[in-house]
Amino acid sequence: MERTNWTDIEFILQGLSEYPRAEKLLFVMCLLMYLVILLGNSTLIILTLLDSHLHTPMYFFLGNLSFLDIWYTSSFIPSMLIHFLSEKKTISFTRCVAQMSVSYTMGSTECVLLAVMAYDRYVAICIPLRYPIIMNKALCIQTAALSWGLGFLNSLTETILAVRLPFCRKNVINHFVCEILAFVKLACTDISLNEITIMLGNVIFLFVPLLLICISYIFILSTVLRINSAEGRKKAFSTCSAHIMVVTVFYGTILFMYMKPKSKDAAFDKLIALFYGVVTPMLNPIIYGLRNTEVHGAMRKFTARLVLEERMRNLHF
């Protein structure tokens, strides 16, 4: 087959082209969820920056998670919404690689960041007296930087290996977005190396953090069960319940995607992948917002301050 230069290559994102009415419905749903993602995560970031009571390691990492979710969804949802309403669902090689690289970076970073947040909860519950010493500002910045650095390095490695592949006409990606495995499978050469590195990356960035999270919560559970008072156990558990819910949603969706039997309906598989990409980032700020009294208090103070400033402006005029 004839090989082409990068500038000549365009990919067709098939999505649900065979179900145009379903795409219109998905457009409305994804647009609303994207607005919730932007509003919810932006609100959490603003609150963690403005409220001094939220200047703690847990909310520092939560701010990183919210920032990550905004970037992750913004890398593909706007273009996906355009494709839902247009007959031409093409994307250039450069845009496809950029989309793939950013989303892969954010996904890898989130896995590491969730493990770091689990360690933070372990220190807070299992060795609370040493918590301010261990989880100091320097360590928080270093672990957050490590999460972002490892995610970027993993994405960079996979992206470099992918863009070196020769591609042929015609390139149809049976997905809503540029997904790395679907991308490399379109190459006109052997992709064994790419498949091996992607598999290793999945093991390192999915299952190793999950193992560390499980180990952390084994120690946390052991400590909580040794607390004599029921109120003390409830309070200790409530400090990590939001993180448990986020991890359950994040890894539950991923494990379901990878471990479920291959569906005969390709559209169902694509919808599951869309659920992982859109619904999970939308749920994160909702879970933390509903489960944390500190966030409720910060939100009330922030709202009261906005109302007061508005009244002062009205009085001034």
Side-chain angles (χ1 to χ4, degrees):
M1 296 180 68
E2 180 188 356
R3 298 181 181 183
T4 61
N5 296 322
W6 288 357
T7 54
D8 300 326
I9 300 176
E10 279 192 335
F11 295 95
I12 299 173
L13 297 172
Q14 188 171 355
L16 291 179
S17 301
E18 64 273 29
Y19 305 108
R21 290 185 178 179
E23 286 197 329
K24 301 298 188 295
L25 177 62
L26 283 174
F27 170 84
V28 176
M29 294 174 60
C30 290
L31 177 60
L32 292 175
M33 287 189 286
Y34 184 52
L35 294 176
V36 173
I37 289 169
L38 294 179
L39 178 62
N41 286 289
S42 298
T43 300
L44 275 178
I45 292 172
I46 292 170
L47 291 177
T48 56
L49 289 175
L50 296 182
D51 196 300
S52 59
H53 293 93
L54 301 184
H55 292 175
T56 63
M58 184 177 77
Y59 291 104
F60 170 75
F61 294 127
L62 178 58
N64 275 265
L65 183 64
S66 295
F67 181 75
L68 181 153
D69 283 338
I70 290 175
W71 272 97
Y72 172 66
T73 52
S74 296
S75 69
F76 69 91
I77 290 183
S79 62
M80 185 176 68
L81 292 174
I82 294 173
H83 288 157
F84 280 151
L85 298 181
S86 62
E87 294 184 3
K88 186 179 180 181
K89 304 179 187 297
T90 58
I91 185 171
S92 68
F93 181 92
T94 304
R95 285 180 57 210
C96 187
V97 169
Q99 183 184 96
M100 178 179 67
S101 178
V102 172
S103 61
Y104 208 69
T105 298
M106 300 303 152
S108 301
T109 302
E110 183 162 359
C111 292
V112 183
L113 192 60
L114 288 174
V116 171
M117 294 172 75
Y119 176 73
D120 170 69
R121 293 299 84 204
Y122 159 75
V123 177
I125 294 174
C126 297
I127 39 180
L129 296 179
R130 297 186 60 195
Y131 181 76
I133 299 173
I134 296 175
M135 298 304 298
N136 55 67
K137 185 177 180 179
L139 181 66
C140 291
I141 294 174
Q142 289 167 3
T143 51
L146 178 66
S147 301
W148 286 94
L150 289 175
F152 175 75
L153 184 62
N154 184 40
S155 176
L156 182 65
T157 302
E158 303 292 357
T159 303
I160 290 175
L161 290 175
V163 298
R164 295 177 63 187
L165 296 172
F167 290 87
C168 311
R169 305 175 188 266
K170 171 180 181 182
N171 299 313
V172 178
I173 297 178
N174 190 22
H175 210 293
F176 295 107
V177 298
C178 287
E179 195 268 334
I180 189 165
L181 191 56
F183 179 87
V184 301
K185 283 183 177 179
L186 297 176
C188 306
T189 187
D190 179 58
I191 60 170
S192 300
L193 177 61
N194 299 81
E195 290 179 324
I196 291 172
T197 56
I198 291 172
M199 182 186 68
L200 287 175
N202 288 340
V203 170
I204 293 171
F205 284 88
L206 285 175
F207 294 105
V208 172
L210 180 59
L211 177 62
L212 295 175
I213 291 170
C214 290
I215 292 172
S216 297
Y217 276 105
I218 289 173
F219 283 107
I220 290 172
L221 182 61
S222 175
T223 302
V224 171
L225 291 177
R226 289 200 300 269
I227 298 175
N228 294 325
S229 78
E231 186 64 27
R233 288 194 297 270
K234 181 181 179 181
K235 184 178 180 181
F237 182 74
S238 67
T239 63
C240 55
S241 58
H243 180 255
I244 292 174
M245 292 175 66
V246 168
V247 170
T248 301
V249 171
F250 181 78
Y251 276 101
T253 311
I254 292 177
L255 292 176
F256 177 77
M257 285 169 53
Y258 281 101
M259 298 180 70
K260 73 177 182 64
K262 187 68 175 178
S263 173
K264 293 181 181 180
D265 186 4
F268 177 74
D269 292 330
K270 286 184 279 188
L271 289 174
I272 293 297
L274 183 64
F275 173 87
Y276 161 71
V278 180
V279 177
T280 304
M282 181 188 70
L283 290 179
N284 288 350
I286 295 175
I287 291 171
Y288 272 98
L290 292 176
R291 299 291 301 180
N292 285 272
T293 56
E294 294 93 344
V295 174
H296 292 168
M299 190 65 192
R300 284 194 295 268
K301 287 191 290 183
F302 181 70
T303 304
R305 189 168 71 176
L306 290 179
V307 171
L308 180 61
E309 289 177 354
E310 182 64 26
R311 289 178 178 175
M312 294 297 291
R313 280 196 296 268
N314 292 337
L315 288 173
H316 179 73
F317 287 108

